[in-house]
Amino acid sequence: DSGVTQTPKHLITATGQRVTLRCSPRSGDLSVYWYQQSLDQGLQFLIQYYNGEERAKGNILERFSAQQFPDLHSELNLSSLELGDSALYFCASSVGGASGGGQETQYFGPGTRLLVL
Amino acid sequence: AQKVTQAQTEISVVEKEDVTLDCVYETRDTTYYLFWYKQPPSGELVFLIRRNSFDEQNEISGRYSWNFQKSTSSFNFTITASQVVDSAVYFCALRTRREHSGGGADGLTFGKGTHLIIQP
């Protein structure tokens, strides 16, 4: 158990809908990262937050957004869902993440499996 | 741009054999970090090891060992005396400091993974 929790574990929804995935980082970790794992694209970095602020952006679609709250939990919002958004979404956390970092180990949650029908 | 290549899509061996998973990376940055993660059938990603670009010492942890060679941009992973429980998808990943674009660091860049099957 990495200490990172994600809810829900599974989510089934229809095209065009909007969903919210939730992540709680390990105790003491300030950085949260979101990744998408799909058969086509593999594991891709979406976005990072550090202590409530966006820190780095990867291949995140404009239909997707995220935020990190004062209690450090994070939510990933996916809207106008398409069939191709079906994937396993991982949240990871690390201790730091301030500028100049990169060396921190990221610990991953169990993932949320999203199926868009 | 940075890239991680795991050329072996799937490897199947019989239990107790040794097996090496290859990882080749590309980056322009001189400071970077390499990782291996394991994804068992249950789906979670389990951290195995982190290696810094300025530390080329190889590492051994039980049946696991890692060979980091900057000259060939490789970070290979060997499992000695494999066991059925080692069956999983193994990912190599790279993270760099943004030396060429304002500092900080991006997320992990993952390879496509190697599916390791250990047969009893």
PDB file of all heavy atoms in Angstrom, chain A residues 33 35 37 41 43 45 48 55-56 90 100-106 108, chain B residues 33 35 37 39 43 45 47 50 91 95 97-98 104-108 110 112:
ATOM      1  N   TYR A  33       0.432  14.360  -8.745  1.00  0.00           N
ATOM      2  CA  TYR A  33       0.569  14.208 -10.198  1.00  0.00           C
ATOM      3  C   TYR A  33      -0.591  13.355 -10.702  1.00  0.00           C
ATOM      4  O   TYR A  33      -1.021  12.433 -10.018  1.00  0.00           O
ATOM      5  CB  TYR A  33       1.870  13.485 -10.549  1.00  0.00           C
ATOM      6  CG  TYR A  33       3.115  14.016  -9.878  1.00  0.00           C
ATOM      7  CD1 TYR A  33       3.399  13.706  -8.555  1.00  0.00           C
ATOM      8  CD2 TYR A  33       4.020  14.803 -10.583  1.00  0.00           C
ATOM      9  CE1 TYR A  33       4.552  14.168  -7.940  1.00  0.00           C
ATOM     10  CE2 TYR A  33       5.177  15.266  -9.976  1.00  0.00           C
ATOM     11  CZ  TYR A  33       5.440  14.951  -8.652  1.00  0.00           C
ATOM     12  OH  TYR A  33       6.576  15.418  -8.048  1.00  0.00           O
ATOM     13  N   TYR A  35      -1.742  10.924 -14.028  1.00  0.00           N
ATOM     14  CA  TYR A  35      -1.305  10.204 -15.221  1.00  0.00           C
ATOM     15  C   TYR A  35      -2.487   9.450 -15.820  1.00  0.00           C
ATOM     16  O   TYR A  35      -3.402   9.037 -15.109  1.00  0.00           O
ATOM     17  CB  TYR A  35      -0.210   9.185 -14.871  1.00  0.00           C
ATOM     18  CG  TYR A  35       1.106   9.787 -14.465  1.00  0.00           C
ATOM     19  CD1 TYR A  35       1.330  10.212 -13.160  1.00  0.00           C
ATOM     20  CD2 TYR A  35       2.132   9.922 -15.390  1.00  0.00           C
ATOM     21  CE1 TYR A  35       2.546  10.769 -12.784  1.00  0.00           C
ATOM     22  CE2 TYR A  35       3.359  10.473 -15.022  1.00  0.00           C
ATOM     23  CZ  TYR A  35       3.544  10.888 -13.723  1.00  0.00           C
ATOM     24  OH  TYR A  35       4.757  11.442 -13.359  1.00  0.00           O
ATOM     25  N   GLN A  37      -3.294   6.055 -18.261  1.00  0.00           N
ATOM     26  CA  GLN A  37      -2.751   4.862 -18.886  1.00  0.00           C
ATOM     27  C   GLN A  37      -3.800   4.276 -19.831  1.00  0.00           C
ATOM     28  O   GLN A  37      -4.869   3.845 -19.403  1.00  0.00           O
ATOM     29  CB  GLN A  37      -2.343   3.808 -17.849  1.00  0.00           C
ATOM     30  CG  GLN A  37      -1.675   2.588 -18.492  1.00  0.00           C
ATOM     31  CD  GLN A  37      -1.220   1.560 -17.478  1.00  0.00           C
ATOM     32  OE1 GLN A  37      -1.773   1.431 -16.390  1.00  0.00           O
ATOM     33  NE2 GLN A  37      -0.167   0.817 -17.820  1.00  0.00           N
ATOM     34  N   GLN A  41      -1.813   4.972 -25.871  1.00  0.00           N
ATOM     35  CA  GLN A  41      -0.784   5.961 -25.527  1.00  0.00           C
ATOM     36  C   GLN A  41       0.148   5.520 -24.412  1.00  0.00           C
ATOM     37  O   GLN A  41       1.137   6.190 -24.145  1.00  0.00           O
ATOM     38  CB  GLN A  41      -1.454   7.285 -25.110  1.00  0.00           C
ATOM     39  CG  GLN A  41      -2.374   7.870 -26.152  1.00  0.00           C
ATOM     40  CD  GLN A  41      -1.628   8.336 -27.372  1.00  0.00           C
ATOM     41  OE1 GLN A  41      -0.476   8.762 -27.290  1.00  0.00           O
ATOM     42  NE2 GLN A  41      -2.250   8.237 -28.524  1.00  0.00           N
ATOM     43  N   LEU A  43       1.455   5.080 -20.616  1.00  0.00           N
ATOM     44  CA  LEU A  43       1.359   5.921 -19.424  1.00  0.00           C
ATOM     45  C   LEU A  43       1.808   7.325 -19.783  1.00  0.00           C
ATOM     46  O   LEU A  43       2.956   7.537 -20.176  1.00  0.00           O
ATOM     47  CB  LEU A  43       2.269   5.375 -18.324  1.00  0.00           C
ATOM     48  CG  LEU A  43       1.642   4.431 -17.327  1.00  0.00           C
ATOM     49  CD1 LEU A  43       2.712   3.652 -16.602  1.00  0.00           C
ATOM     50  CD2 LEU A  43       0.797   5.215 -16.320  1.00  0.00           C
ATOM     51  N   PHE A  45       1.930  11.505 -18.587  1.00  0.00           N
ATOM     52  CA  PHE A  45       1.815  12.527 -17.551  1.00  0.00           C
ATOM     53  C   PHE A  45       0.808  13.578 -17.996  1.00  0.00           C
ATOM     54  O   PHE A  45       0.862  14.071 -19.122  1.00  0.00           O
ATOM     55  CB  PHE A  45       3.182  13.156 -17.323  1.00  0.00           C
ATOM     56  CG  PHE A  45       3.161  14.417 -16.513  1.00  0.00           C
ATOM     57  CD1 PHE A  45       2.749  14.405 -15.183  1.00  0.00           C
ATOM     58  CD2 PHE A  45       3.551  15.626 -17.078  1.00  0.00           C
ATOM     59  CE1 PHE A  45       2.739  15.571 -14.444  1.00  0.00           C
ATOM     60  CE2 PHE A  45       3.553  16.794 -16.337  1.00  0.00           C
ATOM     61  CZ  PHE A  45       3.144  16.771 -15.015  1.00  0.00           C
ATOM     62  N   GLN A  48       0.775  18.327 -12.814  1.00  0.00           N
ATOM     63  CA  GLN A  48       1.287  18.285 -11.451  1.00  0.00           C
ATOM     64  C   GLN A  48       0.841  19.512 -10.677  1.00  0.00           C
ATOM     65  O   GLN A  48       0.854  20.632 -11.196  1.00  0.00           O
ATOM     66  CB  GLN A  48       2.821  18.232 -11.434  1.00  0.00           C
ATOM     67  CG  GLN A  48       3.419  18.257 -10.027  1.00  0.00           C
ATOM     68  CD  GLN A  48       4.869  18.705  -9.987  1.00  0.00           C
ATOM     69  OE1 GLN A  48       5.502  18.932 -11.019  1.00  0.00           O
ATOM     70  NE2 GLN A  48       5.426  18.811  -8.789  1.00  0.00           N
ATOM     71  N   ARG A  55       2.111  23.157 -11.204  1.00  0.00           N
ATOM     72  CA  ARG A  55       3.572  23.211 -11.294  1.00  0.00           C
ATOM     73  C   ARG A  55       4.072  22.797 -12.666  1.00  0.00           C
ATOM     74  O   ARG A  55       5.059  23.337 -13.165  1.00  0.00           O
ATOM     75  CB  ARG A  55       4.183  22.304 -10.232  1.00  0.00           C
ATOM     76  CG  ARG A  55       5.664  22.292 -10.191  1.00  0.00           C
ATOM     77  CD  ARG A  55       6.221  23.631  -9.823  1.00  0.00           C
ATOM     78  NE  ARG A  55       5.801  24.075  -8.500  1.00  0.00           N
ATOM     79  CZ  ARG A  55       6.260  25.151  -7.901  1.00  0.00           C
ATOM     80  NH1 ARG A  55       7.121  25.921  -8.506  1.00  0.00           N
ATOM     81  NH2 ARG A  55       5.849  25.486  -6.705  1.00  0.00           N
ATOM     82  N   ALA A  56       3.453  21.808 -13.258  1.00  0.00           N
ATOM     83  CA  ALA A  56       3.903  21.335 -14.570  1.00  0.00           C
ATOM     84  C   ALA A  56       2.707  20.736 -15.302  1.00  0.00           C
ATOM     85  O   ALA A  56       1.776  20.215 -14.697  1.00  0.00           O
ATOM     86  CB  ALA A  56       5.005  20.290 -14.430  1.00  0.00           C
ATOM     87  N   PHE A  90      -4.201   7.426 -12.972  1.00  0.00           N
ATOM     88  CA  PHE A  90      -3.423   7.313 -11.744  1.00  0.00           C
ATOM     89  C   PHE A  90      -3.142   8.680 -11.149  1.00  0.00           C
ATOM     90  O   PHE A  90      -2.872   9.647 -11.858  1.00  0.00           O
ATOM     91  CB  PHE A  90      -2.065   6.652 -12.018  1.00  0.00           C
ATOM     92  CG  PHE A  90      -2.123   5.167 -12.237  1.00  0.00           C
ATOM     93  CD1 PHE A  90      -1.945   4.641 -13.498  1.00  0.00           C
ATOM     94  CD2 PHE A  90      -2.332   4.311 -11.164  1.00  0.00           C
ATOM     95  CE1 PHE A  90      -1.979   3.278 -13.703  1.00  0.00           C
ATOM     96  CE2 PHE A  90      -2.373   2.932 -11.364  1.00  0.00           C
ATOM     97  CZ  PHE A  90      -2.200   2.417 -12.634  1.00  0.00           C
ATOM     98  N   GLY A 100      13.323  23.104  -9.518  1.00  0.00           N
ATOM     99  CA  GLY A 100      14.638  22.517  -9.362  1.00  0.00           C
ATOM    100  C   GLY A 100      14.593  21.091  -8.898  1.00  0.00           C
ATOM    101  O   GLY A 100      15.618  20.455  -8.752  1.00  0.00           O
ATOM    102  N   GLY A 101      13.417  20.580  -8.661  1.00  0.00           N
ATOM    103  CA  GLY A 101      13.294  19.210  -8.181  1.00  0.00           C
ATOM    104  C   GLY A 101      13.379  18.200  -9.297  1.00  0.00           C
ATOM    105  O   GLY A 101      13.992  18.432 -10.313  1.00  0.00           O
ATOM    106  N   GLY A 102      12.730  17.079  -9.130  1.00  0.00           N
ATOM    107  CA  GLY A 102      12.761  16.017 -10.122  1.00  0.00           C
ATOM    108  C   GLY A 102      13.243  14.733  -9.526  1.00  0.00           C
ATOM    109  O   GLY A 102      12.965  13.665 -10.051  1.00  0.00           O
ATOM    110  N   GLN A 103      13.958  14.836  -8.387  1.00  0.00           N
ATOM    111  CA  GLN A 103      14.545  13.621  -7.851  1.00  0.00           C
ATOM    112  C   GLN A 103      13.608  12.864  -6.927  1.00  0.00           C
ATOM    113  O   GLN A 103      13.891  11.749  -6.546  1.00  0.00           O
ATOM    114  CB  GLN A 103      15.851  13.945  -7.088  1.00  0.00           C
ATOM    115  CG  GLN A 103      15.639  14.704  -5.788  1.00  0.00           C
ATOM    116  CD  GLN A 103      15.627  16.198  -5.984  1.00  0.00           C
ATOM    117  OE1 GLN A 103      15.344  16.700  -7.061  1.00  0.00           O
ATOM    118  NE2 GLN A 103      15.920  16.930  -4.927  1.00  0.00           N
ATOM    119  N   GLU A 104      12.478  13.515  -6.559  1.00  0.00           N
ATOM    120  CA  GLU A 104      11.610  12.834  -5.601  1.00  0.00           C
ATOM    121  C   GLU A 104      10.956  11.625  -6.237  1.00  0.00           C
ATOM    122  O   GLU A 104      10.543  11.660  -7.380  1.00  0.00           O
ATOM    123  CB  GLU A 104      10.504  13.752  -5.085  1.00  0.00           C
ATOM    124  CG  GLU A 104      10.945  15.089  -4.582  1.00  0.00           C
ATOM    125  CD  GLU A 104      10.866  16.113  -5.693  1.00  0.00           C
ATOM    126  OE1 GLU A 104      10.164  15.888  -6.694  1.00  0.00           O
ATOM    127  OE2 GLU A 104      11.529  17.144  -5.559  1.00  0.00           O
ATOM    128  N   THR A 105      10.835  10.580  -5.458  1.00  0.00           N
ATOM    129  CA  THR A 105      10.124   9.395  -5.920  1.00  0.00           C
ATOM    130  C   THR A 105       8.632   9.670  -5.872  1.00  0.00           C
ATOM    131  O   THR A 105       8.124  10.210  -4.896  1.00  0.00           O
ATOM    132  CB  THR A 105      10.465   8.199  -5.038  1.00  0.00           C
ATOM    133  OG1 THR A 105      11.865   7.905  -5.207  1.00  0.00           O
ATOM    134  CG2 THR A 105       9.648   6.979  -5.427  1.00  0.00           C
ATOM    135  N   GLN A 106       7.945   9.305  -6.931  1.00  0.00           N
ATOM    136  CA  GLN A 106       6.499   9.430  -6.972  1.00  0.00           C
ATOM    137  C   GLN A 106       5.878   8.090  -6.599  1.00  0.00           C
ATOM    138  O   GLN A 106       6.217   7.052  -7.167  1.00  0.00           O
ATOM    139  CB  GLN A 106       6.046   9.843  -8.377  1.00  0.00           C
ATOM    140  CG  GLN A 106       6.541  11.236  -8.763  1.00  0.00           C
ATOM    141  CD  GLN A 106       6.153  11.630 -10.155  1.00  0.00           C
ATOM    142  OE1 GLN A 106       5.140  11.200 -10.691  1.00  0.00           O
ATOM    143  NE2 GLN A 106       6.970  12.469 -10.779  1.00  0.00           N
ATOM    144  N   PHE A 108       2.432   5.898  -6.374  1.00  0.00           N
ATOM    145  CA  PHE A 108       1.182   5.879  -7.119  1.00  0.00           C
ATOM    146  C   PHE A 108       0.034   5.269  -6.315  1.00  0.00           C
ATOM    147  O   PHE A 108       0.218   4.322  -5.547  1.00  0.00           O
ATOM    148  CB  PHE A 108       1.363   5.080  -8.414  1.00  0.00           C
ATOM    149  CG  PHE A 108       2.092   5.830  -9.487  1.00  0.00           C
ATOM    150  CD1 PHE A 108       3.466   6.010  -9.409  1.00  0.00           C
ATOM    151  CD2 PHE A 108       1.419   6.381 -10.558  1.00  0.00           C
ATOM    152  CE1 PHE A 108       4.159   6.721 -10.389  1.00  0.00           C
ATOM    153  CE2 PHE A 108       2.082   7.089 -11.550  1.00  0.00           C
ATOM    154  CZ  PHE A 108       3.458   7.260 -11.451  1.00  0.00           C
TER     155      PHE A 108
ATOM    156  N   TYR B  33      16.792  11.657 -13.678  1.00  0.00           N
ATOM    157  CA  TYR B  33      16.529  10.593 -12.722  1.00  0.00           C
ATOM    158  C   TYR B  33      15.807   9.456 -13.439  1.00  0.00           C
ATOM    159  O   TYR B  33      14.900   9.683 -14.235  1.00  0.00           O
ATOM    160  CB  TYR B  33      15.681  11.140 -11.565  1.00  0.00           C
ATOM    161  CG  TYR B  33      16.279  12.404 -11.004  1.00  0.00           C
ATOM    162  CD1 TYR B  33      15.912  13.652 -11.496  1.00  0.00           C
ATOM    163  CD2 TYR B  33      17.257  12.354 -10.017  1.00  0.00           C
ATOM    164  CE1 TYR B  33      16.500  14.808 -11.026  1.00  0.00           C
ATOM    165  CE2 TYR B  33      17.841  13.511  -9.533  1.00  0.00           C
ATOM    166  CZ  TYR B  33      17.467  14.737 -10.044  1.00  0.00           C
ATOM    167  OH  TYR B  33      18.057  15.872  -9.577  1.00  0.00           O
ATOM    168  N   PHE B  35      13.861   5.633 -13.149  1.00  0.00           N
ATOM    169  CA  PHE B  35      13.047   4.858 -12.226  1.00  0.00           C
ATOM    170  C   PHE B  35      12.617   3.549 -12.886  1.00  0.00           C
ATOM    171  O   PHE B  35      12.502   3.466 -14.111  1.00  0.00           O
ATOM    172  CB  PHE B  35      11.763   5.629 -11.855  1.00  0.00           C
ATOM    173  CG  PHE B  35      11.995   6.979 -11.239  1.00  0.00           C
ATOM    174  CD1 PHE B  35      12.296   8.080 -12.015  1.00  0.00           C
ATOM    175  CD2 PHE B  35      11.877   7.144  -9.871  1.00  0.00           C
ATOM    176  CE1 PHE B  35      12.494   9.336 -11.450  1.00  0.00           C
ATOM    177  CE2 PHE B  35      12.064   8.387  -9.290  1.00  0.00           C
ATOM    178  CZ  PHE B  35      12.375   9.479 -10.074  1.00  0.00           C
ATOM    179  N   TYR B  37       9.309   0.853 -12.271  1.00  0.00           N
ATOM    180  CA  TYR B  37       8.074   0.555 -11.569  1.00  0.00           C
ATOM    181  C   TYR B  37       7.564  -0.803 -12.047  1.00  0.00           C
ATOM    182  O   TYR B  37       7.770  -1.200 -13.189  1.00  0.00           O
ATOM    183  CB  TYR B  37       6.995   1.610 -11.877  1.00  0.00           C
ATOM    184  CG  TYR B  37       7.175   2.923 -11.178  1.00  0.00           C
ATOM    185  CD1 TYR B  37       7.995   3.919 -11.719  1.00  0.00           C
ATOM    186  CD2 TYR B  37       6.528   3.190  -9.972  1.00  0.00           C
ATOM    187  CE1 TYR B  37       8.160   5.141 -11.070  1.00  0.00           C
ATOM    188  CE2 TYR B  37       6.683   4.400  -9.329  1.00  0.00           C
ATOM    189  CZ  TYR B  37       7.503   5.371  -9.887  1.00  0.00           C
ATOM    190  OH  TYR B  37       7.661   6.574  -9.243  1.00  0.00           O
ATOM    191  N   GLN B  39       4.046  -3.185 -12.413  1.00  0.00           N
ATOM    192  CA  GLN B  39       2.590  -3.163 -12.425  1.00  0.00           C
ATOM    193  C   GLN B  39       2.107  -4.611 -12.471  1.00  0.00           C
ATOM    194  O   GLN B  39       2.029  -5.230 -13.523  1.00  0.00           O
ATOM    195  CB  GLN B  39       2.045  -2.375 -13.616  1.00  0.00           C
ATOM    196  CG  GLN B  39       0.530  -2.196 -13.573  1.00  0.00           C
ATOM    197  CD  GLN B  39       0.002  -1.289 -14.670  1.00  0.00           C
ATOM    198  OE1 GLN B  39       0.476  -1.304 -15.801  1.00  0.00           O
ATOM    199  NE2 GLN B  39      -0.991  -0.472 -14.337  1.00  0.00           N
ATOM    200  N   GLY B  43      -2.951  -4.154 -11.041  1.00  0.00           N
ATOM    201  CA  GLY B  43      -3.033  -2.844 -11.690  1.00  0.00           C
ATOM    202  C   GLY B  43      -2.284  -1.696 -11.062  1.00  0.00           C
ATOM    203  O   GLY B  43      -2.053  -0.686 -11.720  1.00  0.00           O
ATOM    204  N   LEU B  45       0.786   0.608  -9.551  1.00  0.00           N
ATOM    205  CA  LEU B  45       2.179   0.837  -9.941  1.00  0.00           C
ATOM    206  C   LEU B  45       3.031   0.870  -8.681  1.00  0.00           C
ATOM    207  O   LEU B  45       2.827   1.704  -7.806  1.00  0.00           O
ATOM    208  CB  LEU B  45       2.323   2.165 -10.684  1.00  0.00           C
ATOM    209  CG  LEU B  45       1.946   2.159 -12.165  1.00  0.00           C
ATOM    210  CD1 LEU B  45       1.818   3.575 -12.688  1.00  0.00           C
ATOM    211  CD2 LEU B  45       2.968   1.390 -12.977  1.00  0.00           C
ATOM    212  N   PHE B  47       6.727   1.256  -6.954  1.00  0.00           N
ATOM    213  CA  PHE B  47       8.067   1.790  -7.136  1.00  0.00           C
ATOM    214  C   PHE B  47       9.102   0.728  -6.776  1.00  0.00           C
ATOM    215  O   PHE B  47       8.992   0.053  -5.744  1.00  0.00           O
ATOM    216  CB  PHE B  47       8.239   3.021  -6.242  1.00  0.00           C
ATOM    217  CG  PHE B  47       9.659   3.460  -6.064  1.00  0.00           C
ATOM    218  CD1 PHE B  47      10.347   4.071  -7.094  1.00  0.00           C
ATOM    219  CD2 PHE B  47      10.314   3.268  -4.845  1.00  0.00           C
ATOM    220  CE1 PHE B  47      11.657   4.485  -6.928  1.00  0.00           C
ATOM    221  CE2 PHE B  47      11.614   3.679  -4.664  1.00  0.00           C
ATOM    222  CZ  PHE B  47      12.295   4.282  -5.711  1.00  0.00           C
ATOM    223  N   ARG B  50      15.111   4.188  -7.841  1.00  0.00           N
ATOM    224  CA  ARG B  50      15.430   5.469  -8.446  1.00  0.00           C
ATOM    225  C   ARG B  50      16.940   5.577  -8.559  1.00  0.00           C
ATOM    226  O   ARG B  50      17.668   5.163  -7.661  1.00  0.00           O
ATOM    227  CB  ARG B  50      14.919   6.616  -7.582  1.00  0.00           C
ATOM    228  CG  ARG B  50      15.176   7.992  -8.176  1.00  0.00           C
ATOM    229  CD  ARG B  50      14.877   9.086  -7.184  1.00  0.00           C
ATOM    230  NE  ARG B  50      15.923   9.211  -6.183  1.00  0.00           N
ATOM    231  CZ  ARG B  50      15.721   9.637  -4.950  1.00  0.00           C
ATOM    232  NH1 ARG B  50      14.508   9.974  -4.551  1.00  0.00           N
ATOM    233  NH2 ARG B  50      16.709   9.734  -4.116  1.00  0.00           N
ATOM    234  N   PHE B  91       7.894  -1.079 -15.944  1.00  0.00           N
ATOM    235  CA  PHE B  91       8.079   0.184 -16.649  1.00  0.00           C
ATOM    236  C   PHE B  91       9.358   0.864 -16.209  1.00  0.00           C
ATOM    237  O   PHE B  91       9.637   0.965 -15.011  1.00  0.00           O
ATOM    238  CB  PHE B  91       6.910   1.140 -16.373  1.00  0.00           C
ATOM    239  CG  PHE B  91       5.613   0.704 -16.969  1.00  0.00           C
ATOM    240  CD1 PHE B  91       4.702  -0.019 -16.220  1.00  0.00           C
ATOM    241  CD2 PHE B  91       5.291   1.028 -18.274  1.00  0.00           C
ATOM    242  CE1 PHE B  91       3.492  -0.420 -16.764  1.00  0.00           C
ATOM    243  CE2 PHE B  91       4.085   0.630 -18.834  1.00  0.00           C
ATOM    244  CZ  PHE B  91       3.189  -0.096 -18.073  1.00  0.00           C
ATOM    245  N   ARG B  95      12.863  11.204 -15.548  1.00  0.00           N
ATOM    246  CA  ARG B  95      12.414  12.550 -15.186  1.00  0.00           C
ATOM    247  C   ARG B  95      13.637  13.457 -15.215  1.00  0.00           C
ATOM    248  O   ARG B  95      14.695  13.090 -14.710  1.00  0.00           O
ATOM    249  CB  ARG B  95      11.789  12.578 -13.795  1.00  0.00           C
ATOM    250  CG  ARG B  95      11.022  13.876 -13.524  1.00  0.00           C
ATOM    251  CD  ARG B  95      10.286  13.837 -12.232  1.00  0.00           C
ATOM    252  NE  ARG B  95       9.383  14.983 -12.116  1.00  0.00           N
ATOM    253  CZ  ARG B  95       9.071  15.563 -10.971  1.00  0.00           C
ATOM    254  NH1 ARG B  95       9.577  15.102  -9.845  1.00  0.00           N
ATOM    255  NH2 ARG B  95       8.242  16.583 -10.953  1.00  0.00           N
ATOM    256  N   ARG B  97      15.399  17.548 -14.985  1.00  0.00           N
ATOM    257  CA  ARG B  97      15.263  18.952 -14.635  1.00  0.00           C
ATOM    258  C   ARG B  97      15.225  19.727 -15.926  1.00  0.00           C
ATOM    259  O   ARG B  97      15.944  19.413 -16.861  1.00  0.00           O
ATOM    260  CB  ARG B  97      16.450  19.403 -13.788  1.00  0.00           C
ATOM    261  CG  ARG B  97      16.472  18.777 -12.415  1.00  0.00           C
ATOM    262  CD  ARG B  97      17.681  19.204 -11.667  1.00  0.00           C
ATOM    263  NE  ARG B  97      17.679  20.657 -11.505  1.00  0.00           N
ATOM    264  CZ  ARG B  97      18.276  21.270 -10.502  1.00  0.00           C
ATOM    265  NH1 ARG B  97      18.916  20.572  -9.609  1.00  0.00           N
ATOM    266  NH2 ARG B  97      18.269  22.565 -10.420  1.00  0.00           N
ATOM    267  N   ARG B  98      14.392  20.735 -15.998  1.00  0.00           N
ATOM    268  CA  ARG B  98      14.208  21.484 -17.242  1.00  0.00           C
ATOM    269  C   ARG B  98      15.319  22.498 -17.390  1.00  0.00           C
ATOM    270  O   ARG B  98      15.133  23.696 -17.222  1.00  0.00           O
ATOM    271  CB  ARG B  98      12.848  22.175 -17.275  1.00  0.00           C
ATOM    272  CG  ARG B  98      11.717  21.214 -17.543  1.00  0.00           C
ATOM    273  CD  ARG B  98      10.436  21.974 -17.831  1.00  0.00           C
ATOM    274  NE  ARG B  98       9.429  21.661 -16.841  1.00  0.00           N
ATOM    275  CZ  ARG B  98       8.863  22.547 -16.023  1.00  0.00           C
ATOM    276  NH1 ARG B  98       9.224  23.798 -16.035  1.00  0.00           N
ATOM    277  NH2 ARG B  98       7.940  22.165 -15.174  1.00  0.00           N
ATOM    278  N   GLY B 104      12.815  23.653 -12.944  1.00  0.00           N
ATOM    279  CA  GLY B 104      11.717  22.807 -12.502  1.00  0.00           C
ATOM    280  C   GLY B 104      11.838  21.443 -13.136  1.00  0.00           C
ATOM    281  O   GLY B 104      12.862  21.072 -13.701  1.00  0.00           O
ATOM    282  N   ALA B 105      10.767  20.707 -13.070  1.00  0.00           N
ATOM    283  CA  ALA B 105      10.796  19.356 -13.625  1.00  0.00           C
ATOM    284  C   ALA B 105       9.410  18.998 -14.112  1.00  0.00           C
ATOM    285  O   ALA B 105       8.400  19.450 -13.578  1.00  0.00           O
ATOM    286  CB  ALA B 105      11.261  18.362 -12.572  1.00  0.00           C
ATOM    287  N   ASP B 106       9.342  18.196 -15.143  1.00  0.00           N
ATOM    288  CA  ASP B 106       8.076  17.701 -15.647  1.00  0.00           C
ATOM    289  C   ASP B 106       7.737  16.381 -14.970  1.00  0.00           C
ATOM    290  O   ASP B 106       8.441  15.917 -14.089  1.00  0.00           O
ATOM    291  CB  ASP B 106       8.154  17.524 -17.164  1.00  0.00           C
ATOM    292  CG  ASP B 106       8.247  18.857 -17.873  1.00  0.00           C
ATOM    293  OD1 ASP B 106       7.572  19.799 -17.449  1.00  0.00           O
ATOM    294  OD2 ASP B 106       9.022  18.950 -18.844  1.00  0.00           O
ATOM    295  N   GLY B 107       6.690  15.768 -15.414  1.00  0.00           N
ATOM    296  CA  GLY B 107       6.326  14.469 -14.881  1.00  0.00           C
ATOM    297  C   GLY B 107       7.225  13.384 -15.428  1.00  0.00           C
ATOM    298  O   GLY B 107       8.178  13.639 -16.168  1.00  0.00           O
ATOM    299  N   LEU B 108       6.941  12.188 -15.043  1.00  0.00           N
ATOM    300  CA  LEU B 108       7.706  11.044 -15.525  1.00  0.00           C
ATOM    301  C   LEU B 108       7.369  10.752 -16.979  1.00  0.00           C
ATOM    302  O   LEU B 108       6.210  10.823 -17.376  1.00  0.00           O
ATOM    303  CB  LEU B 108       7.381   9.813 -14.684  1.00  0.00           C
ATOM    304  CG  LEU B 108       7.856   9.837 -13.230  1.00  0.00           C
ATOM    305  CD1 LEU B 108       7.166   8.738 -12.439  1.00  0.00           C
ATOM    306  CD2 LEU B 108       9.352   9.690 -13.165  1.00  0.00           C
ATOM    307  N   PHE B 110       7.419   7.650 -19.353  1.00  0.00           N
ATOM    308  CA  PHE B 110       7.478   6.198 -19.230  1.00  0.00           C
ATOM    309  C   PHE B 110       7.777   5.534 -20.564  1.00  0.00           C
ATOM    310  O   PHE B 110       7.393   6.035 -21.630  1.00  0.00           O
ATOM    311  CB  PHE B 110       6.128   5.656 -18.742  1.00  0.00           C
ATOM    312  CG  PHE B 110       5.872   5.834 -17.281  1.00  0.00           C
ATOM    313  CD1 PHE B 110       5.253   6.972 -16.800  1.00  0.00           C
ATOM    314  CD2 PHE B 110       6.234   4.846 -16.377  1.00  0.00           C
ATOM    315  CE1 PHE B 110       5.010   7.142 -15.450  1.00  0.00           C
ATOM    316  CE2 PHE B 110       5.985   4.988 -15.022  1.00  0.00           C
ATOM    317  CZ  PHE B 110       5.378   6.140 -14.549  1.00  0.00           C
ATOM    318  N   LYS B 112       7.079   1.971 -22.852  1.00  0.00           N
ATOM    319  CA  LYS B 112       5.834   1.246 -23.121  1.00  0.00           C
ATOM    320  C   LYS B 112       5.655   0.047 -22.203  1.00  0.00           C
ATOM    321  O   LYS B 112       4.574  -0.550 -22.165  1.00  0.00           O
ATOM    322  CB  LYS B 112       5.803   0.772 -24.577  1.00  0.00           C
ATOM    323  CG  LYS B 112       5.746   1.913 -25.577  1.00  0.00           C
ATOM    324  CD  LYS B 112       4.415   2.606 -25.586  1.00  0.00           C
ATOM    325  CE  LYS B 112       4.320   3.624 -26.708  1.00  0.00           C
ATOM    326  NZ  LYS B 112       3.102   4.445 -26.589  1.00  0.00           N
TER     327      LYS B 112
END
